[in-house]
Amino acid sequence: MPSRAFSIEDGNLGNKSILTSRREEYSDIDLSFAKKGSGDIFKKSSGASVKQAVRNLLLTNFSEKPFLPRFGADLNSMLFRLSTDIDDDTLEDDIIKAIETFEPRARVLNIKSNISPDTNEVNITVTFQIINTSEEAFVDVSLTRLR
Amino acid sequence: MATTIKSTQLDFDFIKNKLKEKFKEQTEFQDYNFEASGLSNLLDVLALNSHFNGLTANFALNESFINTAQLRSSVVAHAETLGYIPTSYTSSQAKLKLSILITTTPRPTSVTLTRGAIFTASVDDVSYTFQTRQNFVASDDGTGSYEFKTGTGLSEIPVFEGTEKIKTFVVGEKSDSQIYVIPDVTMDTSTIRVRVFDTLTGTTFTTYTDIQDAVRVTNDSALYQIKEVPNGYYELIFGDGLSTGKAPVAGNKIVVDYLSTQGTVANGATTFTTNVALSVSGVNYPLTAVTTSTSAGGAFKESLESIRRNAPIAFSSQKRLVTAEDYRAQILANYGAYLDDVIAWGGHDNVPQIYGRVYAGLKFKSNIDTTTQEDVKNQIKNNLSENLSIMSIDLVFAEAITTKLVLTTFFNLDPDLTSSTSQSVENLVQSTINSFFATNLRKFNKVFRRSNLLTAIDALDVAILNSRMTVAMQREQAIDLNQSATYSITFPTTLAEPDDVNRVITSSLFTINSKSCSIRNALNSNKLEIVDQDGVIQIDNAGSYSQLQGIVTLVGFAPSAVQGTLLKVNALPANQGTIRPLRNYILDIDTGNSLSTAVIDNQNTLVTL
């Protein structure tokens, strides 16, 4: 049976595999700005990079990012609200909406929020899947009064 | 290296995208394109910083030049460096005949009307206060009638709109370096009076005058400068005791009075009333006011565009009258409240050439009456020309001559492309033509360019497919009826050559030999003939026209009546595409005879002709 030969320019399928997908390697700077012994700053890569981005997103308030006023989860807007005004469902909806809109690398799996009016605290745990690797990760965000 | 910077290149998004493109060239960090990433946050900071720096630099650079500055404070400051002081609000000024009648005897030989006599007048149902700014004296004419006169003997007394305000300053120590601020944006600086009293309570004072009016300055000259500052207020500055005249000393009192005015809105007042009465021997006699010139000349602060235009010209004129532009600059700077435009030219450029003269054409604002026009001309001669011009040069005023253009416009209209009727599109086209004249013409040195107007018409509506226009010039000539006379009617450009199809010269109707006739040129000839409405030639040699000089000459012309009040003579220009008016000619449109007509065009190329 005759074999089909392609030119090198066309991939020469006879002796070269066809690239059907490409894995995107995420890499970001570490926002702690800690430095290595060499003096370079540390990198965040793969899941850690996405996790950092999600945390970033959750801790950003509306109008903080230049020319993108609706970026962020706006959690700080809860700061001066009455505890009775804060609603779990609304909070979760806001977080899901923010991640779906601004972080395409993550799919939210679960959000747990724990509102403690007595200690003036809100704890949020967002569990998400990193789409590229199917790896699961979670981010804890705790909002509490300083004094 | 880029020679131009587009303002859009300073946009935040543009800068950030550029930074992202730079990141694409490396493999170390890949997350620059995700808005939540740390890299994106850093790029935000970089881009925002560049954005603000770029904008600030752009604004600062714009404000650095008089042509591009947007802030009034910047434009005024640039003008100041050119030695140009922008005009403040200007009071509207009217002229009145003022008199009193004293019937009892004995009568005084003269009476004095002290400054500050108040008059009231209304414009558009709004009342305005006018007042005199100096004392006037009237003498008994023998019958008990006293008519007040100016220092030069004129009986037209100027009154100015506004409210008098007084500011008193106490002069501090020299080391205090005091600046005297007058916080009033509507001050008319031309009405300011500055008196410096020796002591706080004394009555002896020295009147300081504006340094702009000074002919010679010594260390003892009593001069002040007044200038507009960034917040729109005014500052009063005195000499330094050396090169710019003397300065008030500690313990002196400065009293400044001026009019705070409403500007333009008080123009046009015709009737003035007053409650002023003069007391003579204990009896009050009312003052009678008769208007001789309606109020005019009121203006708001000089606009930014005006400052931009006038400051460089004033700088080049250096407050002297040598070149034609000097005359234009000085006249506009001093009498701009009365004038729409000014043009000046030397006698050597005049037709006919007359050396030793400068001609100035003035276009007055529409509300300026003839008495005020003559007064302004006299002031220009007396105050400007005689003080600042070169000896033996005479200033002659030339009337602004308006040449009207009769435009016949046709445009192809596809009715399928518009919901408007052809009539409404015709009206739109005609109103566009009219506003084109209002915006681009009606001033000296403004050239009519047909293609520019046709471009504007074509852009009006997608349904207008193309347009064309014939242009004729029209001059109006006053005629002495039943008097045989020669008339020379000059057009601002060369005229078309005669041919065997078109009449270059035509006219409105008039009566001659008891027949309604008009003028036209004979075909293929410069000779003019008078024909009746049946086309029968009544006079076969009524004059001629000079194609190159643009002059139409009527010889022995003696009609018994003229349609309307003036004879309208139309002429086709040699170049209908460009009408360039010379010297004191101004182009306007004859709205009554200019027509726009739609030609329906369905863009169907399959029909027969």
Side-chain angles (χ1 to χ4, degrees):
Chain A
M1 188 175 168
S3 63
R4 290 190 173 80
F6 289 85
S7 70
I8 294 170
E9 289 79 11
D10 290 332
N12 192 7
L13 299 183
N15 53 25
K16 203 172 180 185
S17 64
I18 301 169
L19 188 66
T20 54
S21 68
R22 186 164 64 90
R23 183 171 165 144
E24 184 82 35
E25 185 65 31
Y26 303 129
S27 53
D28 195 3
I29 55 165
D30 185 345
L31 280 182
S32 69
F33 290 108
K35 66 175 183 181
K36 298 184 207 170
S38 64
D40 288 343
I41 57 168
F42 280 100
K43 259 169 66 172
K44 291 268 189 195
S45 53
S46 305
S49 139
V50 180
K51 202 170 160 180
Q52 177 180 265
V54 171
R55 173 179 289 278
N56 229 356
L57 181 61
L58 295 183
L59 292 176
T60 304
N61 302 315
F62 286 168
S63 302
E64 270 188 356
K65 196 171 176 74
F67 299 94
L68 214 50
R70 303 302 289 178
F71 179 89
D74 204 28
L75 299 181
N76 267 11
S77 67
M78 293 187 295
L79 193 60
F80 293 102
R81 282 200 213 162
L82 293 173
S83 60
T84 49
D85 288 348
I86 300 172
D87 172 69
D88 283 350
D89 292 340
T90 314
L91 189 65
E92 287 166 14
D93 285 349
D94 286 351
I95 291 170
I96 291 171
K97 196 173 163 191
I99 293 176
E100 280 181 351
T101 312
F102 294 108
E103 190 41 78
R105 296 174 291 180
R107 184 169 68 235
V108 177
L109 299 176
N110 185 33
I111 297 175
K112 259 199 275 181
S113 60
N114 180 18
I115 300 169
S116 315
D118 297 337
T119 54
N120 300 311
E121 230 177 12
V122 177
N123 290 303
I124 302 160
T125 304
V126 181
T127 309
F128 57 92
Q129 185 182 41
I130 296 162
I131 290 174
N132 207 12
T133 61
S134 300
E135 176 192 347
E136 277 191 22
F138 67 90
V139 170
D140 274 332
V141 175
S142 176
L143 299 171
T144 182
R145 53 184 291 178
L146 288 177
R147 55 186 176 190
Chain B
M1 187 177 136
T3 53
T4 55
I5 300 172
K6 290 180 184 168
S7 58
T8 48
Q9 290 181 345
L10 303 176
D11 286 351
F12 174 84
D13 287 337
F14 181 87
I15 297 167
K16 193 170 173 186
N17 285 333
K18 279 283 184 193
L19 290 170
K20 283 180 183 173
E21 277 174 27
K22 193 70 189 165
F23 264 93
K24 278 182 192 166
E25 294 170 7
Q26 51 81 52
T27 53
E28 188 75 18
F29 296 107
Q30 294 293 321
D31 287 5
Y32 52 84
N33 224 2
F34 298 108
E35 287 298 331
S37 68
L39 269 177
S40 178
N41 278 313
L42 286 185
L43 295 187
D44 282 344
V45 174
L46 283 170
L48 195 62
N49 189 44
S50 303
H51 171 68
F52 277 125
N53 281 342
L55 281 185
T56 309
N58 193 31
F59 291 154
L61 208 59
N62 276 337
E63 294 302 314
S64 303
F65 301 96
I66 193 168
N67 284 336
T68 51
Q70 298 296 309
L71 299 174
R72 182 177 178 89
S73 54
S74 304
V75 176
V76 170
H78 287 305
E80 196 184 326
T81 60
L82 295 173
Y84 181 77
I85 307 294
T87 53
S88 64
Y89 265 70
T90 309
S91 302
S92 187
Q93 181 184 350
K95 295 215 166 138
L96 309 176
K97 272 192 176 170
L98 301 178
S99 59
I100 61 167
L101 184 63
I102 301 175
T103 50
T104 55
T105 53
R107 295 189 295 264
T109 52
S110 66
V111 290
T112 301
L113 179 69
T114 51
R115 80 194 294 271
I118 301 290
F119 300 84
T120 312
S122 291
V123 179
D124 294 335
D125 295 330
V126 180
S127 182
Y128 297 99
T129 302
F130 289 72
Q131 56 186 281
T132 54
R133 294 294 292 161
Q134 63 189 88
N135 294 346
F136 295 100
V137 178
S139 301
D140 185 4
D141 71 346
T143 65
S145 177
Y146 293 75
E147 188 173 76
F148 291 94
K149 306 235 181 220
T150 63
T152 53
L154 297 174
S155 55
E156 293 178 326
I157 306 296
V159 292
F160 301 86
E161 183 275 321
T163 311
E164 186 174 66
K165 295 200 173 162
I166 298 173
K167 307 286 177 194
T168 306
F169 304 95
V170 177
V171 180
E173 293 298 331
K174 193 175 180 185
S175 58
D176 292 349
S177 301
Q178 283 178 317
I179 294 170
Y180 305 100
V181 180
I182 302 173
D184 190 340
V185 294
T186 61
M187 174 167 76
D188 177 357
T189 55
S190 66
T191 62
I192 194 170
R193 183 175 64 161
V194 179
R195 289 173 295 164
V196 177
F197 289 77
D198 294 342
T199 61
L200 293 182
T201 54
T203 54
T204 313
F205 64 85
T206 305
T207 302
Y208 280 56
T209 54
D210 191 344
I211 199 166
Q212 295 287 322
D213 302 329
V215 177
R216 184 178 296 112
V217 181
T218 67
N219 59 354
D220 199 35
S221 302
L223 301 169
Y224 68 84
Q225 297 174 55
I226 188 152
K227 66 174 187 178
E228 185 183 333
V229 287
N231 57 6
Y233 293 162
Y234 290 91
E235 282 180 4
L236 203 59
I237 300 160
F238 291 94
D240 55 3
L242 299 168
S243 57
T244 52
K246 65 181 178 182
V249 295
N252 285 172
K253 179 176 74 173
I254 302 168
V255 178
V256 180
D257 60 67
Y258 62 90
L259 287 183
S260 187
T261 178
Q262 312 260 6
T264 313
V265 291
N267 290 341
T270 53
T271 309
F272 292 79
T273 57
T274 181
N275 293 324
V276 173
L278 274 75
S279 175
V280 177
S281 304
V283 180
N284 283 336
Y285 294 95
L287 185 68
T288 306
V290 176
T291 308
T292 57
S293 296
T294 57
S295 64
F300 299 130
K301 268 185 181 175
E302 187 170 3
S303 67
L304 294 189
E305 281 313 309
S306 174
I307 298 171
R308 283 197 189 103
R309 186 182 55 168
N310 290 336
I313 304 174
F315 177 67
S316 64
S317 84
Q318 293 288 316
K319 207 171 181 187
R320 57 178 174 34
L321 296 176
V322 178
T323 67
E325 274 302 296
D326 296 345
Y327 279 86
R328 182 169 185 271
Q330 289 296 336
I331 292 171
L332 268 180
N334 290 281
Y335 300 96
Y338 299 92
L339 299 166
D340 272 340
D341 201 12
V342 176
I343 193 168
W345 65 95
H348 58 286
D349 286 330
N350 196 53
V351 178
Q353 287 183 328
I354 302 177
Y355 293 98
R357 281 187 179 180
V358 166
Y359 290 86
L362 309 180
K363 183 170 189 286
F364 283 93
K365 291 182 190 292
S366 56
N367 60 343
I368 307 293
D369 60 34
T370 50
T371 313
T372 310
Q373 289 184 15
E374 286 308 311
D375 190 33
V376 169
K377 286 178 185 173
N378 288 334
Q379 286 186 44
I380 291 170
K381 270 197 166 179
N382 297 334
N383 299 342
L384 290 182
S385 177
E386 296 198 354
N387 290 333
L388 305 176
S389 70
I390 297 171
M391 284 169 62
S392 79
I393 296 289
D394 294 328
L395 175 63
V396 178
F397 291 107
E399 295 298 324
I401 300 172
T402 299
T403 301
K404 289 191 173 172
L405 301 186
V406 181
L407 307 181
T408 309
T409 311
F410 295 93
F411 58 91
N412 284 32
L413 180 77
D414 187 340
D416 296 337
L417 296 180
T418 180
S419 57
S420 305
T421 63
S422 61
Q423 179 64 48
S424 67
V425 180
E426 283 174 359
N427 292 341
L428 178 66
V429 167
Q430 197 54 49
S431 78
T432 302
I433 293 171
N434 293 344
S435 35
F436 180 87
F437 272 76
T439 311
N440 301 299
L441 296 153
R442 292 182 186 157
K443 284 191 173 180
F444 297 113
N445 261 338
K446 296 290 182 185
V447 181
F448 172 79
R449 298 185 192 281
R450 181 172 58 181
S451 63
N452 291 356
L453 179 53
L454 290 176
T455 304
I457 292 170
D458 290 348
L460 274 179
D461 196 316
V462 288
I464 297 177
L465 306 173
N466 64 288
S467 54
R468 63 192 162 89
M469 179 183 282
T470 58
V471 181
M473 298 181 292
Q474 183 190 85
R475 286 285 320 276
E476 294 178 332
Q477 175 69 45
I479 300 293
D480 291 331
L481 298 177
N482 299 313
Q483 302 282 327
S484 178
T486 297
Y487 298 96
S488 193
I489 301 156
T490 309
F491 288 90
T493 61
T494 54
L495 303 181
E497 284 185 29
D499 59 38
D500 56 358
V501 178
N502 298 308
R503 307 282 181 181
V504 177
I505 309 294
T506 53
S507 79
S508 60
L509 294 174
F510 52 86
T511 307
I512 211 162
N513 298 339
S514 303
K515 290 187 174 173
S516 186
C517 301
S518 63
I519 299 166
R520 69 184 189 192
N521 68 303
L523 292 175
N524 272 332
S525 169
N526 288 359
K527 199 172 67 172
L528 300 180
E529 54 193 24
I530 294 176
V531 291
D532 63 21
Q533 288 184 293
D534 297 326
V536 179
I537 297 173
Q538 295 293 318
I539 298 172
D540 65 352
N541 192 3
S544 63
Y545 81 92
S546 165
Q547 187 227 337
L548 292 177
Q549 291 180 317
I551 297 174
V552 175
T553 308
L554 299 176
V555 181
F557 188 58
S560 57
V562 172
Q563 187 184 51
T565 53
L566 301 165
L567 177 71
K568 293 180 177 178
V569 178
N570 296 333
L572 294 178
N575 178 3
Q576 293 190 25
T578 309
I579 312 279
R580 188 190 305 278
L582 293 173
R583 298 182 294 276
N584 52 330
Y585 285 89
I586 290 174
L587 297 181
D588 200 350
I589 184 171
D590 181 357
T591 49
N593 291 314
S594 293
L595 291 172
S596 297
T597 309
V599 179
I600 300 300
D601 181 347
N602 290 308
Q603 301 192 65
N604 189 346
T605 56
L606 301 177
V607 294
T608 54
L609 290 175

